[in-house]
Short mmCIF file of all heavy atoms in Angstrom, two decimals:
data_model
loop_
_atom_site.label_atom_id
_atom_site.label_comp_id
_atom_site.label_asym_id
_atom_site.label_seq_id
_atom_site.Cartn_x
_atom_site.Cartn_y
_atom_site.Cartn_z
N GLU H 54 -7.19 10.61 -3.53
CA GLU H 54 -6.06 11.47 -3.15
C GLU H 54 -6.44 12.91 -3.45
O GLU H 54 -7.00 13.22 -4.50
CB GLU H 54 -4.81 11.07 -3.92
CG GLU H 54 -3.62 12.00 -3.79
CD GLU H 54 -3.16 12.20 -2.36
OE1 GLU H 54 -3.03 11.21 -1.62
OE2 GLU H 54 -2.94 13.37 -1.96
N VAL H 55 -6.14 13.81 -2.52
CA VAL H 55 -6.56 15.20 -2.64
C VAL H 55 -5.51 16.07 -3.33
O VAL H 55 -5.85 17.12 -3.89
CB VAL H 55 -6.91 15.77 -1.25
CG1 VAL H 55 -5.66 15.97 -0.40
CG2 VAL H 55 -7.71 17.06 -1.36
N ASN H 56 -4.26 15.67 -3.33
CA ASN H 56 -3.17 16.50 -3.86
C ASN H 56 -2.94 16.18 -5.34
O ASN H 56 -2.53 15.07 -5.68
CB ASN H 56 -1.89 16.26 -3.07
CG ASN H 56 -0.80 17.25 -3.41
OD1 ASN H 56 -0.59 17.60 -4.56
ND2 ASN H 56 -0.06 17.69 -2.39
N PRO H 57 -3.17 17.12 -6.25
CA PRO H 57 -3.02 16.84 -7.69
C PRO H 57 -1.59 16.48 -8.08
O PRO H 57 -1.39 15.70 -9.03
CB PRO H 57 -3.49 18.13 -8.37
CG PRO H 57 -3.38 19.19 -7.32
CD PRO H 57 -3.63 18.51 -6.01
N ILE H 58 -0.60 17.03 -7.39
CA ILE H 58 0.79 16.69 -7.72
C ILE H 58 1.07 15.24 -7.32
O ILE H 58 1.76 14.51 -8.03
CB ILE H 58 1.77 17.65 -7.02
CG1 ILE H 58 1.47 19.10 -7.38
CG2 ILE H 58 3.22 17.30 -7.42
CD1 ILE H 58 2.34 20.12 -6.66
N SER H 59 0.52 14.82 -6.18
CA SER H 59 0.65 13.42 -5.78
C SER H 59 0.04 12.49 -6.82
O SER H 59 0.59 11.43 -7.13
CB SER H 59 -0.04 13.18 -4.42
OG SER H 59 0.76 13.62 -3.36
N ILE H 60 -1.10 12.89 -7.36
CA ILE H 60 -1.77 12.04 -8.35
C ILE H 60 -0.92 11.90 -9.60
O ILE H 60 -0.78 10.80 -10.15
CB ILE H 60 -3.16 12.61 -8.68
CG1 ILE H 60 -4.10 12.40 -7.48
CG2 ILE H 60 -3.74 11.95 -9.93
CD1 ILE H 60 -5.48 12.97 -7.66
N GLN H 61 -0.34 13.00 -10.08
CA GLN H 61 0.52 12.90 -11.26
C GLN H 61 1.74 12.04 -10.98
O GLN H 61 2.16 11.22 -11.81
CB GLN H 61 0.98 14.29 -11.71
CG GLN H 61 1.80 14.28 -13.00
CD GLN H 61 1.10 13.57 -14.14
OE1 GLN H 61 -0.02 13.93 -14.51
NE2 GLN H 61 1.73 12.55 -14.70
N SER H 62 2.31 12.19 -9.78
CA SER H 62 3.43 11.35 -9.38
C SER H 62 3.04 9.88 -9.37
O SER H 62 3.76 9.02 -9.88
CB SER H 62 3.93 11.77 -7.99
OG SER H 62 4.88 10.85 -7.50
N LEU H 63 1.86 9.60 -8.80
CA LEU H 63 1.38 8.22 -8.74
C LEU H 63 1.17 7.64 -10.15
O LEU H 63 1.54 6.49 -10.41
CB LEU H 63 0.07 8.16 -7.95
CG LEU H 63 -0.63 6.80 -7.90
CD1 LEU H 63 0.28 5.73 -7.34
CD2 LEU H 63 -1.91 6.90 -7.08
N ARG H 64 0.63 8.45 -11.05
CA ARG H 64 0.43 7.96 -12.41
C ARG H 64 1.77 7.62 -13.07
O ARG H 64 1.88 6.64 -13.82
CB ARG H 64 -0.32 9.01 -13.24
CG ARG H 64 -1.76 9.21 -12.79
CD ARG H 64 -2.55 10.06 -13.80
NE ARG H 64 -3.88 10.38 -13.32
CZ ARG H 64 -4.93 9.56 -13.38
NH1 ARG H 64 -4.77 8.36 -13.90
NH2 ARG H 64 -6.11 9.94 -12.93
N ASN H 65 2.79 8.41 -12.77
CA ASN H 65 4.12 8.12 -13.30
C ASN H 65 4.66 6.80 -12.75
O ASN H 65 5.28 6.01 -13.47
CB ASN H 65 5.09 9.26 -12.97
CG ASN H 65 4.78 10.54 -13.72
OD1 ASN H 65 4.10 10.52 -14.75
ND2 ASN H 65 5.26 11.65 -13.21
N VAL H 66 4.43 6.58 -11.45
CA VAL H 66 4.88 5.33 -10.82
C VAL H 66 4.15 4.14 -11.45
O VAL H 66 4.78 3.11 -11.77
CB VAL H 66 4.64 5.36 -9.29
CG1 VAL H 66 4.88 3.99 -8.67
CG2 VAL H 66 5.54 6.41 -8.64
N ILE H 67 2.86 4.27 -11.62
CA ILE H 67 2.06 3.18 -12.21
C ILE H 67 2.58 2.85 -13.61
O ILE H 67 2.74 1.68 -13.97
CB ILE H 67 0.57 3.58 -12.26
CG1 ILE H 67 0.00 3.65 -10.84
CG2 ILE H 67 -0.23 2.60 -13.11
CD1 ILE H 67 -1.37 4.29 -10.76
N GLU H 68 2.87 3.88 -14.39
CA GLU H 68 3.38 3.66 -15.75
C GLU H 68 4.76 3.01 -15.72
O GLU H 68 5.05 2.09 -16.50
CB GLU H 68 3.45 5.00 -16.49
CG GLU H 68 3.96 4.87 -17.92
CD GLU H 68 4.02 6.20 -18.65
OE1 GLU H 68 3.57 7.22 -18.08
OE2 GLU H 68 4.53 6.22 -19.79
N ALA H 69 5.62 3.46 -14.79
CA ALA H 69 6.97 2.92 -14.71
C ALA H 69 6.98 1.44 -14.38
O ALA H 69 7.89 0.71 -14.80
CB ALA H 69 7.78 3.69 -13.67
N PHE H 70 5.97 0.98 -13.63
CA PHE H 70 5.89 -0.43 -13.26
C PHE H 70 4.90 -1.21 -14.15
O PHE H 70 4.59 -2.36 -13.86
CB PHE H 70 5.46 -0.56 -11.79
CG PHE H 70 6.54 -0.19 -10.83
CD1 PHE H 70 6.58 1.07 -10.25
CD2 PHE H 70 7.53 -1.10 -10.48
CE1 PHE H 70 7.57 1.42 -9.36
CE2 PHE H 70 8.53 -0.76 -9.58
CZ PHE H 70 8.55 0.51 -9.02
N ASN H 71 4.44 -0.54 -15.21
CA ASN H 71 3.51 -1.17 -16.14
C ASN H 71 2.31 -1.77 -15.39
O ASN H 71 1.90 -2.90 -15.62
CB ASN H 71 4.23 -2.27 -16.95
CG ASN H 71 3.44 -2.70 -18.17
OD1 ASN H 71 2.61 -1.95 -18.68
ND2 ASN H 71 3.67 -3.92 -18.63
N ALA H 72 1.75 -0.98 -14.46
CA ALA H 72 0.73 -1.47 -13.52
C ALA H 72 -0.65 -0.87 -13.76
O ALA H 72 -1.53 -0.98 -12.90
CB ALA H 72 1.18 -1.18 -12.09
N THR H 73 -0.87 -0.28 -14.93
CA THR H 73 -2.16 0.38 -15.20
C THR H 73 -3.34 -0.56 -14.99
O THR H 73 -4.40 -0.15 -14.50
CB THR H 73 -2.17 0.93 -16.64
OG1 THR H 73 -1.07 1.82 -16.81
CG2 THR H 73 -3.47 1.66 -16.92
N SER H 74 -3.17 -1.82 -15.34
CA SER H 74 -4.28 -2.78 -15.28
C SER H 74 -4.72 -3.09 -13.85
O SER H 74 -5.78 -3.69 -13.64
CB SER H 74 -3.90 -4.08 -15.99
OG SER H 74 -2.73 -4.64 -15.42
N TYR H 75 -3.93 -2.68 -12.85
CA TYR H 75 -4.29 -2.92 -11.45
C TYR H 75 -5.19 -1.82 -10.89
O TYR H 75 -5.81 -2.00 -9.84
CB TYR H 75 -3.04 -2.97 -10.57
CG TYR H 75 -2.24 -4.25 -10.69
CD1 TYR H 75 -1.22 -4.36 -11.64
CD2 TYR H 75 -2.47 -5.32 -9.84
CE1 TYR H 75 -0.46 -5.52 -11.74
CE2 TYR H 75 -1.71 -6.48 -9.92
CZ TYR H 75 -0.71 -6.58 -10.88
OH TYR H 75 0.02 -7.72 -10.97
N PHE H 76 -5.24 -0.67 -11.56
CA PHE H 76 -5.89 0.50 -10.98
C PHE H 76 -7.21 0.78 -11.70
O PHE H 76 -7.23 1.20 -12.85
CB PHE H 76 -4.95 1.71 -11.03
CG PHE H 76 -3.82 1.60 -10.04
CD1 PHE H 76 -2.71 0.82 -10.32
CD2 PHE H 76 -3.89 2.24 -8.82
CE1 PHE H 76 -1.68 0.69 -9.41
CE2 PHE H 76 -2.86 2.12 -7.88
CZ PHE H 76 -1.76 1.34 -8.19
N ARG H 77 -8.30 0.53 -10.98
CA ARG H 77 -9.62 0.73 -11.56
C ARG H 77 -9.93 2.21 -11.73
O ARG H 77 -10.53 2.62 -12.73
CB ARG H 77 -10.67 0.07 -10.66
CG ARG H 77 -12.03 -0.05 -11.31
CD ARG H 77 -13.00 -0.84 -10.46
NE ARG H 77 -12.64 -2.24 -10.29
CZ ARG H 77 -12.82 -3.17 -11.22
NH1 ARG H 77 -13.31 -2.85 -12.40
NH2 ARG H 77 -12.49 -4.43 -10.96
N ALA H 78 -9.55 3.02 -10.74
CA ALA H 78 -9.82 4.46 -10.81
C ALA H 78 -8.94 5.19 -9.82
O ALA H 78 -8.54 4.64 -8.78
CB ALA H 78 -11.29 4.74 -10.52
N ILE H 79 -8.62 6.44 -10.16
CA ILE H 79 -7.92 7.35 -9.24
C ILE H 79 -8.74 8.64 -9.19
O ILE H 79 -8.91 9.31 -10.21
CB ILE H 79 -6.48 7.65 -9.71
CG1 ILE H 79 -5.67 6.36 -9.80
CG2 ILE H 79 -5.81 8.65 -8.76
CD1 ILE H 79 -4.28 6.55 -10.40
N HIS H 80 -9.25 8.97 -8.01
CA HIS H 80 -10.11 10.14 -7.85
C HIS H 80 -9.36 11.25 -7.11
O HIS H 80 -8.83 11.02 -6.02
CB HIS H 80 -11.37 9.79 -7.06
CG HIS H 80 -12.23 8.74 -7.71
ND1 HIS H 80 -13.10 9.03 -8.74
CD2 HIS H 80 -12.34 7.40 -7.48
CE1 HIS H 80 -13.72 7.93 -9.12
NE2 HIS H 80 -13.28 6.92 -8.37
N GLU H 81 -9.34 12.44 -7.71
CA GLU H 81 -8.81 13.61 -7.00
C GLU H 81 -9.95 14.19 -6.18
O GLU H 81 -10.90 14.75 -6.74
CB GLU H 81 -8.28 14.64 -7.99
CG GLU H 81 -7.71 15.88 -7.31
CD GLU H 81 -7.24 16.93 -8.30
OE1 GLU H 81 -6.94 16.59 -9.46
OE2 GLU H 81 -7.20 18.12 -7.90
N CYS H 82 -9.87 14.05 -4.86
CA CYS H 82 -11.02 14.44 -4.03
C CYS H 82 -10.60 14.56 -2.57
O CYS H 82 -9.54 14.08 -2.16
CB CYS H 82 -12.13 13.39 -4.15
SG CYS H 82 -11.65 11.77 -3.48
N ASP H 83 -11.47 15.18 -1.80
CA ASP H 83 -11.39 15.17 -0.34
C ASP H 83 -12.15 13.93 0.12
O ASP H 83 -13.39 13.88 0.03
CB ASP H 83 -12.01 16.45 0.22
CG ASP H 83 -11.97 16.50 1.74
OD1 ASP H 83 -11.71 15.46 2.38
OD2 ASP H 83 -12.24 17.59 2.30
N ALA H 84 -11.43 12.93 0.60
CA ALA H 84 -12.06 11.65 0.94
C ALA H 84 -13.03 11.77 2.11
O ALA H 84 -13.86 10.87 2.31
CB ALA H 84 -10.99 10.61 1.26
N SER H 85 -12.97 12.85 2.86
CA SER H 85 -13.92 13.03 3.96
C SER H 85 -15.30 13.44 3.47
O SER H 85 -16.26 13.45 4.24
CB SER H 85 -13.39 14.07 4.96
OG SER H 85 -13.41 15.37 4.39
N LYS H 86 -15.40 13.76 2.15
CA LYS H 86 -16.68 14.17 1.58
C LYS H 86 -17.08 13.32 0.37
O LYS H 86 -18.21 13.41 -0.10
CB LYS H 86 -16.62 15.64 1.14
CG LYS H 86 -16.36 16.62 2.28
CD LYS H 86 -16.31 18.04 1.76
CE LYS H 86 -16.12 19.05 2.89
NZ LYS H 86 -16.07 20.43 2.38
N PHE H 87 -16.17 12.51 -0.11
CA PHE H 87 -16.38 11.80 -1.36
C PHE H 87 -17.50 10.76 -1.26
O PHE H 87 -17.59 10.01 -0.29
CB PHE H 87 -15.08 11.10 -1.77
CG PHE H 87 -15.13 10.45 -3.13
CD1 PHE H 87 -15.15 11.22 -4.27
CD2 PHE H 87 -15.14 9.07 -3.26
CE1 PHE H 87 -15.18 10.64 -5.54
CE2 PHE H 87 -15.17 8.48 -4.51
CZ PHE H 87 -15.18 9.26 -5.65
N GLN H 88 -18.36 10.75 -2.28
CA GLN H 88 -19.42 9.75 -2.36
C GLN H 88 -18.96 8.62 -3.28
O GLN H 88 -18.68 8.84 -4.46
CB GLN H 88 -20.71 10.38 -2.89
CG GLN H 88 -21.32 11.39 -1.94
CD GLN H 88 -21.68 10.76 -0.60
OE1 GLN H 88 -22.45 9.81 -0.53
NE2 GLN H 88 -21.11 11.30 0.48
N LEU H 89 -18.88 7.43 -2.73
CA LEU H 89 -18.42 6.28 -3.50
C LEU H 89 -19.45 5.89 -4.55
O LEU H 89 -20.66 6.02 -4.33
CB LEU H 89 -18.17 5.09 -2.57
CG LEU H 89 -17.10 5.28 -1.50
CD1 LEU H 89 -17.08 4.07 -0.56
CD2 LEU H 89 -15.72 5.47 -2.13
N PRO H 90 -18.99 5.40 -5.70
CA PRO H 90 -19.94 4.90 -6.70
C PRO H 90 -20.72 3.70 -6.17
O PRO H 90 -20.12 2.75 -5.67
CB PRO H 90 -19.03 4.51 -7.88
CG PRO H 90 -17.67 4.34 -7.29
CD PRO H 90 -17.59 5.29 -6.14
N GLU H 91 -22.02 3.77 -6.25
CA GLU H 91 -22.86 2.70 -5.68
C GLU H 91 -22.65 1.36 -6.38
O GLU H 91 -22.84 0.31 -5.79
CB GLU H 91 -24.33 3.11 -5.76
CG GLU H 91 -24.69 4.29 -4.88
CD GLU H 91 -26.17 4.61 -4.93
OE1 GLU H 91 -26.91 3.85 -5.59
OE2 GLU H 91 -26.59 5.61 -4.32
N SER H 92 -22.24 1.43 -7.64
CA SER H 92 -22.08 0.20 -8.42
C SER H 92 -20.78 -0.53 -8.11
O SER H 92 -20.55 -1.62 -8.63
CB SER H 92 -22.12 0.53 -9.91
OG SER H 92 -21.08 1.44 -10.24
N GLN H 93 -19.92 0.07 -7.27
CA GLN H 93 -18.61 -0.52 -7.02
C GLN H 93 -18.47 -0.94 -5.56
O GLN H 93 -18.14 -0.13 -4.70
CB GLN H 93 -17.51 0.49 -7.38
CG GLN H 93 -16.10 -0.03 -7.23
CD GLN H 93 -15.86 -1.25 -8.09
OE1 GLN H 93 -15.99 -1.19 -9.30
NE2 GLN H 93 -15.54 -2.36 -7.47
N PRO H 94 -18.70 -2.23 -5.24
CA PRO H 94 -18.49 -2.70 -3.86
C PRO H 94 -17.00 -2.85 -3.57
O PRO H 94 -16.20 -3.12 -4.47
CB PRO H 94 -19.19 -4.06 -3.86
CG PRO H 94 -19.07 -4.54 -5.28
CD PRO H 94 -19.14 -3.30 -6.14
N PHE H 95 -16.65 -2.68 -2.31
CA PHE H 95 -15.24 -2.82 -1.92
C PHE H 95 -15.12 -3.88 -0.82
O PHE H 95 -15.99 -4.01 0.03
CB PHE H 95 -14.68 -1.49 -1.43
CG PHE H 95 -14.56 -0.46 -2.52
CD1 PHE H 95 -15.51 0.53 -2.67
CD2 PHE H 95 -13.51 -0.52 -3.41
CE1 PHE H 95 -15.43 1.46 -3.69
CE2 PHE H 95 -13.40 0.41 -4.44
CZ PHE H 95 -14.36 1.41 -4.58
N ASP H 96 -14.02 -4.61 -0.86
CA ASP H 96 -13.75 -5.67 0.11
C ASP H 96 -12.82 -5.19 1.23
O ASP H 96 -12.91 -5.65 2.36
CB ASP H 96 -13.11 -6.87 -0.58
CG ASP H 96 -13.96 -7.39 -1.72
OD1 ASP H 96 -15.10 -7.80 -1.45
OD2 ASP H 96 -13.50 -7.36 -2.87
N ILE H 97 -11.91 -4.29 0.89
CA ILE H 97 -10.91 -3.78 1.82
C ILE H 97 -10.81 -2.27 1.64
O ILE H 97 -10.81 -1.78 0.51
CB ILE H 97 -9.52 -4.41 1.55
CG1 ILE H 97 -9.57 -5.93 1.73
CG2 ILE H 97 -8.45 -3.81 2.47
CD1 ILE H 97 -8.32 -6.64 1.20
N VAL H 98 -10.77 -1.54 2.74
CA VAL H 98 -10.53 -0.10 2.67
C VAL H 98 -9.32 0.23 3.53
O VAL H 98 -9.25 -0.14 4.70
CB VAL H 98 -11.77 0.72 3.09
CG1 VAL H 98 -12.26 0.35 4.49
CG2 VAL H 98 -11.46 2.21 3.03
N VAL H 99 -8.37 0.90 2.92
CA VAL H 99 -7.15 1.33 3.61
C VAL H 99 -7.24 2.84 3.80
O VAL H 99 -7.31 3.59 2.82
CB VAL H 99 -5.88 0.99 2.80
CG1 VAL H 99 -4.63 1.42 3.56
CG2 VAL H 99 -5.84 -0.50 2.48
N ILE H 100 -7.27 3.28 5.05
CA ILE H 100 -7.31 4.72 5.36
C ILE H 100 -6.05 5.03 6.16
O ILE H 100 -5.97 4.74 7.34
CB ILE H 100 -8.58 5.08 6.16
CG1 ILE H 100 -9.84 4.61 5.42
CG2 ILE H 100 -8.64 6.58 6.41
CD1 ILE H 100 -11.14 4.84 6.17
N GLU H 101 -5.09 5.62 5.48
CA GLU H 101 -3.79 5.83 6.12
C GLU H 101 -3.43 7.31 6.00
O GLU H 101 -2.63 7.72 5.18
CB GLU H 101 -2.73 4.95 5.45
CG GLU H 101 -1.50 4.70 6.31
CD GLU H 101 -0.48 5.82 6.22
OE1 GLU H 101 -0.23 6.29 5.10
OE2 GLU H 101 0.05 6.23 7.27
#
């Protein structure tokens, strides 16, 4: 997610639902340039 305010909002939502254990990482970045960690394979990508 590129918007820092969105990220803080999302962290609040995650905490409110006690869902921290579901989220491996949250990156503040421009996804059109972001380099994914090579050690982390993904099965599904949602681009919305």
Side-chain angles (χ1 to χ4, degrees):
E54 171 58 47
V55 71
N56 190 319
I58 304 176
S59 281
I60 289 177
Q61 184 54 56
S62 171
L63 175 56
R64 292 190 186 279
N65 291 340
V66 170
I67 292 169
E68 181 180 355
F70 287 98
N71 195 24
T73 303
S74 57
Y75 285 90
F76 288 80
R77 192 174 295 283
I79 300 174
H80 299 279
E81 180 183 336
C82 65
D83 179 346
S85 69
K86 298 180 177 180
F87 186 71
Q88 293 300 302
L89 298 173
E91 293 183 5
S92 59
Q93 183 59 60
F95 292 100
D96 304 298
I97 299 168
V98 56
V99 181
I100 305 176
E101 201 276 317

